[in-house]
Each structure stands twice: as structure tokens, then as C-alpha cells.
Amino acid sequence: MKINKEASLTPKSKRPSDFSLKNARNLLGQTSECQPKVFVKTFGCQMNVRDSEVISGLLDKAGYKLTDDETKANIEILNTCSVRQLAEEKVWSAVGRSKAKIIGIVGCMANNYRESIFEKVPKVDFVVGTADIGKLPKILKEIEKHKGGILEKKIYETDADFREDEIYHTGFHLDKEHAFVVISEGCENFCSYCVVPYVRGRLRSRDYNDILKEIKDDIEAGITKITLLGQNVNAYKYEKTDFVKLIGIVNSIKGLNEFGFVTSQPKDTSVELFLAMQEADKLKKYLHLPIQSGSDRILKAMNRGYTRKYYLDLADKYRTIVRNGALTTDIIVGFPGETEKDFQDTYDVVKNVEFNAGFIFKYSIRPHTEATKMVDDVPKEEKERRHALILELQKKISRNKNANSS
Ligand code: 5AD
Ligand code: SF4
């Protein structure tokens, strides 16, 4: 899954002009100062961008004012990412900088560190896990009641197994034309480097009737494009509906002009999916298919469930079946035990497959994962060298591809 920059959340359509807001409050006998303002800061992937919309929609419904000006916020919610150590470091420094009266850590880091966050950063008031975000309006009310009192409260909620479908139906979107639609949550592939199964839980596919309702409501609100989201999107299965079937169903929705999906696991990607992609006229011909490594030895240690040859065949089939289909990937360099030969295998794959784009990461040890039992033996400088080499190669390939397609 691709990583976005930090983002703040108040869609333009929801931003009231200060003038009219003030007038309205004066009529109600309220001043804008006493109305708590919430700032939601997003770290991480598109799933988190969508989760922040869900959080904002729920708080908006509960009567909270949202702001995109951090300095004016009384309440700051950090929707966090744990995918690499660097992502977490960014969050810790953002908490340090925050001047908000009430501060909450929500999302992947909440599940990763739970109540120990209160010890590490005492100024944090609440910690809410990825499956518990529906409880946020209640939690905020409770924290507000006690804030500044003799018995200040700290709340943490990180144990829910699944989300209620209702939370997806607030109609809150950052973009007027495009919406992210979560079709499944969690992942149970347990790739040995990956924290996701521990912070997002086991794979849960949403009832497709509910997904369709959400999309139809979005279309009624003016949305014309959607992206289906899942950490392992093509493992979707609800009763007899699998991902291939879902693509056909979504394609036939009236009023929808374009759709896409992320992120696919190669072992769950099939020729049937490519045929469905080619058939679906509204589907963007774009596949993000993380290979992670081109070395069979490392793929095995990563527990990816496929070989280099399987991936290369799959990429070939994709390009044959899905005409003009773009192909992008993720790669991790410096995984424990990665030798120069393993690295060269990855380098060769990048050279031969000619991805349209590639996201290259340096291995970062993550709590809970199987790889913590392995020795992180590739020195930092060597990780940097390998990272720079593949990045440079991919940049050249992307430049050539873009020049040829324009
Ligand atoms: N170290 C480095 N990169 C990682 N990714 C996931 N976990 C780690 C880790 N521990 C990368 C993978 C994934 C992308 C979202 O982040 O390439 O596809
Ligand atoms: Fe997204 Fe994974 Fe980061 Fe969580 S840890 S925000 S699921 S990329």
C-alpha cells in the first residue's frame, strides 16, 4: 500500500466561512471560543486517509467542529501508522509539538503500543485502536468532562475485533468527486516483516450489500470515481462473492464513471482477475502488485507465498491480458540475511519487468513480527546503497515509460 504524506482533514465543502459561523453562534448565544475544535492529522496509507474521513464524519455528526488549522485546535487526533520505524518517529515528534488541550493517538500505533503510550508520552489523553474508531465521539465527551478536573481521565480502547458497518455511512469525503471505499479490513498473510496483521487484525470482508449501499449513496452525493481499499484487496470474499465477482458488480453501478483498487497480494492474484479487469470498462487499468524481493530465498524468509518465477509469469500474463495496463510495485531492501546476490536478483527483476513506478523501502524491524527473531544484519550504509541503486534504476525506467506514453 502506498504511503501518503501527513494530511489534515476539513474538506472545502465543509469549511464554513468564519463570518457566518460567528453570526450563527451569536444567535445561539454561543461564542466560537467555547466550541471545541478538532484537528485530525493523518499519517500512513490510503486506508488511514479513509479512516480519518470516517473519524471526522462521526465527530461532525456528534456536533464537533473540525478545523484544518492545527494552531486553533483544542483537540488533536493523530491517526497513526506503524509500517516502519520512521513513520512512528514522525508521530512521536508531532505529539511533542502539539499544543492542543486534548491529544489522542488513534490507529495503528494505538494497537501497537496500547496503554504504554501514556507512560511514554503523559500528555496523551486517549488511545484508540483501528477497530475502535466508532467509539471516538463517546470517548471525547468523557475526556472533555474530566479534563482539568481533580480526577483527569485517560482512556484506551484497543480491543475491538471488527468495526460496525454504520461508521462508513456518514457521507464525509475530502474530495467532491472521488471516494475511498473500504471493502475489507485487516490481513492474515503474516509476511514476516509486516506489522499489519497485529495492528489491523485478521482479514474481515464487508457485506457487499453494504458496500454497494455506500457507493450508491456516494454517487447520489456527486461522487463519480471510487477506489476500493483493502490491505489485501483481492482476498475479498463475502459469502459467494469474491473480488473478481465484486469487480463486475461495481462496474455495473449506474452513475459511476471510474474505479480502481489497492493493494493486491501476488499469491491471491489470478488470470481470472486480469480477465475481469480487461472486461470492466470503468476500471482503471492499473495494478499495484508488491513483489518485495526478487530472490527466492528472501521471498521464502518473508513468507510471501510465491516465487520469483511465479511473479514474473503473473506480470507477463497481466500485460498480455490487460491491454496498456500500468504495473507498479513495492520493494524492501536489506531484509535480514539479504546478500549481494539476493539484492542483484531484485535489481534484475526491476530491470526486466520495467514497472511504471516502484516504491523502495529499507527494511525496518517491527514489533510482534516473525522477522524480529532474525538478525537485522545488513548494515545501515549497505541498506542505503541498495536503496539508492534500485531507486535510481526505477527512476530511469519510469522516466522512459512516461516519455514513451506521452
Ligand atoms: N520495513 C520496510 N518496509 C516495509 N513495508 C512493510 N513493512 C515493512 C518493514 N518492516 C513496505 C512493504 C509494503 C509497503 C506498504 O511498506 O513494501 O508493501
Ligand atoms: Fe496503513 Fe499499514 Fe501504516 Fe497501518 S501500518 S497506516 S495499515 S501502512
Side-chain angles (χ1 to χ4, degrees):
M1 199 157 281
K2 283 195 291 303
I3 305 302
N4 288 340
K5 288 212 194 89
E6 301 164 21
S8 76
L9 270 176
T10 307
K12 286 204 174 68
S13 57
K14 290 251 172 197
R15 277 176 215 161
S17 92
D18 261 359
F19 181 72
S20 59
L21 189 72
K22 229 181 250 163
N23 283 351
R25 289 220 185 90
N26 286 343
L27 283 175
L28 290 167
Q30 274 183 329
T31 63
S32 57
E33 281 71 37
C34 68
Q35 188 97 3
K37 290 202 178 88
V38 186
F39 177 74
V40 184
K41 198 180 183 99
T42 310
F43 300 81
C45 60
Q46 282 109 322
M47 188 66 89
N48 258 20
V49 172
R50 177 60 186 142
D51 286 356
S52 288
E53 287 183 338
V54 167
I55 292 167
S56 301
L58 292 171
L59 294 180
D60 184 49
K61 248 185 155 177
Y64 285 93
K65 288 283 158 239
L66 301 166
T67 177
D68 58 1
D69 183 348
E70 198 170 357
T71 61
K72 296 219 168 79
N74 325 74
I75 302 171
E76 180 157 352
I77 297 179
L78 297 114
N79 189 15
T80 62
C81 173
S82 287
V83 76
R84 282 172 294 277
Q85 199 185 337
L86 193 65
E88 293 189 342
E89 278 161 14
K90 280 190 194 165
V91 173
W92 295 131
S93 29
V95 181
R97 283 194 310 269
S98 177
K99 300 250 183 318
K101 204 168 139 210
I102 295 175
I103 301 173
I105 298 255
V106 170
C108 296
M109 281 172 74
N111 295 82
N112 207 6
Y113 300 110
R114 303 158 65 99
E115 70 269 40
S116 74
I117 291 177
F118 297 132
E119 273 159 49
K120 183 172 164 84
V121 196
K123 75 199 258 202
V124 171
D125 298 285
F126 60 95
V127 170
V128 176
T130 51
D132 299 83
I133 55 177
K135 300 172 191 154
L136 269 167
K138 250 191 182 164
I139 291 173
L140 266 188
K141 283 268 165 321
E142 197 59 20
I143 294 279
E144 277 186 286
K145 216 163 55 189
H146 294 89
K147 189 74 190 177
I150 307 165
L151 284 175
E152 269 203 10
K153 241 187 175 173
K154 301 264 182 200
I155 298 182
Y156 84 95
E157 285 278 356
T158 53
D159 290 331
D161 288 330
F162 63 92
R163 298 166 165 191
E164 309 293 340
D165 269 332
E166 294 92 80
I167 67 167
Y168 290 114
H169 293 279
T170 63
F172 187 103
H173 293 293
L174 285 172
D175 196 311
K176 283 201 192 102
E177 284 163 23
H178 170 265
F180 288 116
V181 178
V182 174
I183 65 163
S184 64
E185 299 150 12
C187 176
E188 50 197 38
N189 286 329
F190 291 95
C191 298
S192 62
Y193 53 81
C194 186
V195 78
V196 170
Y198 306 94
V199 293
R200 293 258 171 195
R202 294 277 174 145
L203 178 73
R204 300 165 311 276
S205 295
R206 284 179 65 197
D207 179 344
Y208 81 88
N209 294 302
D210 198 63
I211 296 172
L212 294 189
K213 183 176 179 324
E214 184 179 335
I215 299 174
K216 284 177 185 160
D217 288 347
D218 287 347
I219 290 170
E220 241 164 64
I223 299 277
T224 56
K225 299 175 188 174
I226 61 166
T227 305
L228 305 174
L229 292 183
Q231 255 92 25
N232 181 3
V233 77
N234 43 17
Y236 176 86
K237 185 135 175 70
Y238 186 82
E239 291 172 352
K240 288 191 178 139
T241 306
D242 62 7
F243 188 60
V244 171
K245 255 197 190 154
L246 189 69
I247 284 191
I249 296 172
V250 171
N251 193 62
S252 65
I253 297 177
K254 272 205 197 98
L256 183 70
N257 293 345
E258 191 181 273
F259 72 110
F261 59 86
V262 276
T263 286
S264 303
Q265 220 292 4
K267 76 176 172 60
D268 294 310
T269 304
S270 60
V271 165
E272 286 71 37
L273 175 66
F274 300 155
L275 293 170
M277 285 181 77
Q278 178 57 26
E279 179 95 341
D281 59 330
K282 295 176 186 171
L283 183 67
K284 276 199 288 186
K285 302 301 181 263
Y286 165 76
L287 183 67
H288 184 58
L289 196 65
I291 183 169
Q292 311 299 4
S293 171
S295 150
D296 280 341
R297 224 174 54 79
I298 297 297
L299 284 172
K300 192 149 193 260
M302 285 177 164
N303 192 31
R304 290 290 287 172
Y306 56 85
T307 60
R308 168 198 177 94
K309 181 172 180 324
Y310 169 90
Y311 187 97
L312 294 177
D313 287 349
L314 201 60
D316 267 354
K317 285 177 191 147
Y318 170 70
R319 286 193 164 137
T320 313
I321 299 170
V322 183
R323 285 187 290 281
N324 297 319
L327 183 66
T328 61
T329 204
D330 289 345
I331 283 168
I332 300 175
V333 294
F335 185 80
E338 187 187 72
T339 61
E340 182 60 26
K341 159 89 176 62
D342 296 318
F343 168 70
Q344 281 305 329
D345 286 348
T346 305
Y347 192 89
D348 284 351
V349 166
V350 173
K351 206 167 168 182
N352 295 333
V353 175
E354 297 194 347
F355 296 103
N356 295 74
F359 302 88
I360 326 295
F361 306 103
K362 287 169 259 176
Y363 171 71
S364 162
I365 192 163
R366 298 288 66 213
H368 318 294
T369 62
E370 272 302 300
T372 55
K373 297 177 190 154
M374 306 170 193
V375 187
D376 185 10
D377 55 357
V378 181
K380 190 166 168 278
E381 304 71 44
E382 186 53 25
K383 281 182 187 158
E384 271 156 19
R385 187 186 73 89
R386 294 177 189 180
H387 181 261
L389 281 172
I390 296 204
L391 200 63
E392 193 46 45
L393 171 66
Q394 182 54 49
K395 259 193 202 157
K396 243 188 248 161
I397 294 169
S398 301
R399 250 197 319 266
N400 281 346
K401 286 211 153 238
N402 291 340
N404 291 342
S405 65
S406 58

